[in-house]
Amino acid sequence: MTLADDHLLLFALDRGLVTREQIDEAQRGHTTATSQTEILHRLVTQGVLDAPRLARLLAEAAAVPLLELNGEHVSDEVLDILPRPIAVRHQVMPVAVQEDGALLVALADPLDIGLIDNLSHLTGRRIEPGVATAEDIRRALARHFGRQAEAGADFLDNLETPGLARCLGDTITEQMNTGDAPIIKMVHSIIQDAVARRASDIHFEPLEKRFRIRYRIDGVLLEVSSPPKQLQPAVISRLKIMADISIAEKRVPQDGRIRLVCDGRDLDLRVATLPTAHGESVVIRILDRQGMLLGLPELGLRPDDQRQLERLIAAPDGLVLVTGPTGSGKTTTLYACLQHLNQTDRKIITVEDPVEYQLAGINQVPVRSAVGMTFAAALRAMLRQSPNIVMVGEIRDRETAEIALNASLTGHMVFSTLHTNDAPGAVTRLLDIGARPFLVAAALRATVAQRLVRRICPHCRRAYAPSAGERHALGLTGAQAAGAEFSHGIGCAACFGTGYLGRTAIYEIFLVNDGIRAMLGANPSAARLRTRARQDGIHTMRADGIRKILAGLTTIEEVLSITVADSD
């Protein structure tokens, strides 16, 4: 039978460990809300009570085992269950896993029910409390978790982190003086290394036997040097602390955000966690404001396509759609269009999920579905603000589509995105989600489809002769192949052995002319629209990709991997 905390002093008095006068002296000047266990620990600090005797008293009062931690070995598997930052913050030491799966933990106060409940929630296990002196717990934490710190230091020594101080800032220097300095330095080094390599994402992936880290560079995942498996809980906890999300919650996905400055660049890091079989997977998306805000000339459009796009977006009204899969650069293209149109005599409002980059002079509205602020609701409210230009992050349903179409017919220029394979397919997609054909015919001005292809690294570029099969796959004529110099990258330090450095876009622009409008009444298929577009002289993504191959910007493999052949 355990003893409640409010009877603990009587328990100590009965056993002659303390006197009433000593208790009164310890309580003097302190709040009455102080627990009786804290009063006894205060008596230990004052030298009135012996720490081992208090530990025995607490073990007897709580009916829990008295633990001897000196020289006790704790396995890495047990240490991995309770992250180091939590153990150090609460001064608790994981000791062993019981046969029923419960975690035996040494505490200085086994009557702290709130702490025990929190540890159970954090680890997903029942907590079996034990008692040890505060000093023994501190020594055990330093001895056992010090092994993890040393492993982290060894990993950190292998990282090339020039300019780390420029990325961390002054606040991190203070944190380096804490006991978590190796983990803090390691996490920031990984982020700085990813930024230096131009990564768009960092993937922290818990596997059964190891803890894998991969960077997504130019759209392709590249595995990098990873820390030891035993550091997984500490690294994940550090990332969650930086992103201001709960480190105690491991059962559901969470999202957070980190802001930092690296080499004078403002970076916005979006953090997403996902529970997996071997721990929480964390993905950090690196958003670089400077890399995002391009002008129309930097997008990689053909000169005639750029002029055509400039004419389209300069119109006073209408709907222009940018299409492509996730990660194809649609948002960058839309932002470039808005920057081109951003003048003091125009009011521009966007609704985005989420707002990825702040654009000067433009009103940006975030979607908040939890409170009813959907794309459709935001779009309705935006139209009452008398804008000239509206951007809707994505058209997902009939309601949003019809509001956007109607807005474009009432004097607003509307931009948005759809997920389709090509530009003509955006028209049939609008019809499929329920938009009325006459509205689409009247409002839609054009659709722009795009993909991203990797650029050949200029440092290791080499000319080569493509095989007959490669030329045939591209549909190149003999004259085209004879007059071109094909290139590829052989791999170097600058491109980390990939042969590619950076990306550019390939486009196709589908104009909705009178002939297309006449077809819409008959609910045409995507194939019929593509055929008509080719008759009207559309420059397809495959054709644009071939042009970039012949210009020496990218390779045959890149274009073949993301485009389909043009039908005859």
Side-chain angles (χ1 to χ4, degrees):
M1 180 177 179
T2 60
L3 188 72
D5 180 81
D6 55 1
H7 293 95
L8 189 58
L9 291 178
L10 290 176
F11 196 65
L13 286 169
D14 288 344
R15 278 152 179 75
L17 298 179
V18 293
T19 66
R20 173 58 66 183
E21 291 74 16
Q22 290 170 335
I23 292 174
D24 292 340
E25 179 65 25
Q27 286 181 311
R28 188 171 295 118
H30 295 279
T31 173
T32 56
T34 303
S35 73
Q36 295 190 13
T37 307
E38 290 174 325
I39 293 172
L40 290 175
H41 278 292
R42 194 175 298 140
L43 289 171
V44 171
T45 303
Q46 295 172 357
V48 174
L49 184 61
D50 181 65
R53 296 185 68 185
L54 174 59
R56 287 193 295 272
L57 172 71
L58 291 172
E60 182 182 356
V64 299
L66 179 65
L67 301 176
E68 176 60 52
L69 300 181
N70 292 332
E72 184 76 18
H73 174 74
V74 179
S75 68
D76 288 338
E77 290 75 13
V78 173
L79 297 177
D80 287 344
I81 296 174
L82 192 62
R84 181 183 187 277
I86 300 298
V88 172
R89 181 180 306 164
H90 296 290
Q91 289 295 287
V92 296
M93 180 66 203
V95 176
V97 175
Q98 311 285 56
E99 291 184 0
D100 62 355
L103 180 65
L104 177 62
V105 177
L107 303 95
D109 181 6
L111 297 175
D112 189 345
I113 304 301
L115 173 58
I116 294 172
D117 286 344
N118 287 338
L119 294 176
S120 178
H121 180 70
L122 174 68
T123 61
R125 296 172 180 263
R126 185 174 66 83
I127 297 299
E128 185 71 35
V131 179
T133 67
E135 181 61 27
D136 283 351
I137 292 175
R138 279 193 291 270
R139 288 175 180 170
L141 288 171
R143 185 170 66 254
H144 290 91
F145 282 106
R147 297 204 309 268
Q148 293 190 344
E150 290 169 5
D154 292 341
F155 167 75
L156 192 61
D157 289 340
N158 295 326
L159 279 178
E160 295 182 4
T161 55
L164 177 62
R166 296 195 301 273
C167 187
L168 302 189
D170 295 335
T171 57
I172 303 302
T173 303
E174 300 174 3
Q175 296 176 3
M176 290 299 181
N177 296 323
T178 71
D180 290 334
I183 297 297
I184 292 173
K185 189 176 181 182
M186 176 193 302
V187 170
H188 283 81
S189 298
I190 293 170
I191 294 174
Q192 193 272 341
D193 184 50
V195 171
R197 296 194 189 199
R198 304 173 298 101
S200 60
D201 306 282
I202 311 173
H203 295 250
F204 297 85
E205 300 170 313
L207 305 178
E208 182 179 6
K209 302 288 186 182
R210 62 194 185 101
F211 183 40
R212 182 172 66 181
I213 297 179
R214 295 192 289 177
Y215 301 159
R216 188 179 297 278
I217 302 174
D218 296 333
V220 177
L221 284 171
L222 174 67
E223 185 169 351
V224 297
S225 177
S226 300
K229 176 69 174 177
Q230 66 263 30
L231 294 183
Q232 174 183 314
V235 171
I236 298 301
S237 295
R238 176 60 190 164
L239 291 171
K240 294 170 76 172
I241 290 171
M242 292 174 66
D244 195 25
I245 57 181
S246 173
I247 60 174
E249 182 56 77
K250 294 183 177 182
R251 302 166 298 174
V252 298
Q254 297 186 84
D255 296 307
R257 185 174 180 175
I258 303 171
R259 300 292 297 271
L260 58 84
V261 177
C262 189
D263 288 333
R265 297 155 58 191
D266 291 323
L267 299 179
D268 188 1
L269 310 183
R270 301 295 171 85
V271 181
T273 71
L274 180 69
T276 71
H278 302 292
E280 287 182 285
S281 172
V282 178
V283 174
I284 298 179
R285 186 180 181 194
I286 303 173
L287 303 177
D288 183 359
R289 177 181 172 87
Q290 294 177 355
M292 186 75 168
L293 301 182
L294 303 178
L296 288 179
E298 288 83 46
L299 292 180
L301 289 158
R302 300 163 56 109
D304 51 344
D305 282 345
Q306 181 179 329
R307 291 191 294 269
Q308 190 175 68
L309 182 60
E310 289 175 349
R311 287 195 300 269
L312 284 169
I313 65 178
D317 56 30
L319 173 64
V320 173
L321 295 174
V322 180
T323 75
T326 300
S328 60
K330 299 187 298 296
T331 302
T332 299
T333 298
L334 286 176
Y335 280 4
C337 292
L338 294 181
Q339 290 286 87
H340 183 77
L341 298 171
N342 190 12
Q343 305 292 332
T344 55
D345 60 344
R346 295 171 178 153
K347 179 163 185 173
I348 303 176
I349 307 180
T350 73
V351 54
E352 305 170 59
D353 183 22
V355 175
E356 294 188 353
Y357 294 92
Q358 299 290 331
L359 303 177
I362 294 178
N363 301 276
Q364 295 173 269
V365 179
V367 167
R368 294 189 178 93
S369 300
V371 295
M373 191 63 153
T374 61
F375 277 114
L379 186 51
R380 285 197 196 91
M382 288 159 52
L383 295 177
R384 294 194 290 271
Q385 296 284 311
S386 187
N388 300 99
I389 300 166
V390 170
M391 187 194 93
V392 183
E394 183 181 350
I395 293 179
R396 299 175 179 173
D397 51 43
R398 175 180 177 179
E399 184 181 18
T400 306
E402 297 221 334
I403 296 172
L405 289 166
N406 281 305
S408 66
L409 292 175
T410 55
H412 304 90
M413 189 68 203
V414 181
F415 297 95
S416 191
T417 69
L418 277 176
H419 291 283
T420 62
N421 292 328
D422 58 12
V427 178
T428 55
R429 175 62 180 154
L430 282 176
L431 299 177
D432 288 343
I433 64 177
R436 288 171 286 186
F438 75 89
L439 279 179
V440 177
L444 188 61
R445 297 287 180 265
T447 63
V448 180
Q450 67 180 81
R451 298 289 190 280
L452 294 178
V453 294
R454 291 183 291 175
R455 288 177 174 266
I456 300 171
C457 175
H459 305 285
C460 60
R461 176 196 302 273
R462 297 292 186 275
Y464 83 108
S467 67
E470 289 176 320
R471 295 196 302 270
H472 177 73
L474 283 177
L476 290 176
T477 65
Q480 287 177 312
E485 182 176 313
F486 296 89
S487 303
H488 63 181
I490 62 173
C492 65
C495 62
F496 303 103
T498 64
Y500 297 96
L501 190 63
R503 289 191 290 179
T504 188
I506 57 175
Y507 295 90
E508 67 181 27
I509 299 178
F510 174 62
L511 295 175
V512 181
N513 53 29
D514 290 340
I516 299 296
R517 293 189 183 96
M519 294 175 63
L520 291 180
N523 196 18
S525 66
R528 285 188 59 200
L529 289 172
R530 280 194 294 271
T531 300
R532 179 55 190 259
R534 286 181 56 80
Q535 293 171 355
D536 292 339
I538 186 174
H539 296 140
T540 65
M541 284 187 287
R542 172 60 67 88
D544 195 27
I546 292 174
R547 183 184 70 87
K548 288 182 167 64
I549 292 172
L550 300 178
L553 295 177
T554 190
T555 63
I556 295 174
E557 294 83 2
E558 277 292 289
V559 173
L560 289 177
S561 67
I562 63 171
T563 63
V564 296
D566 297 332
S567 57
D568 295 331

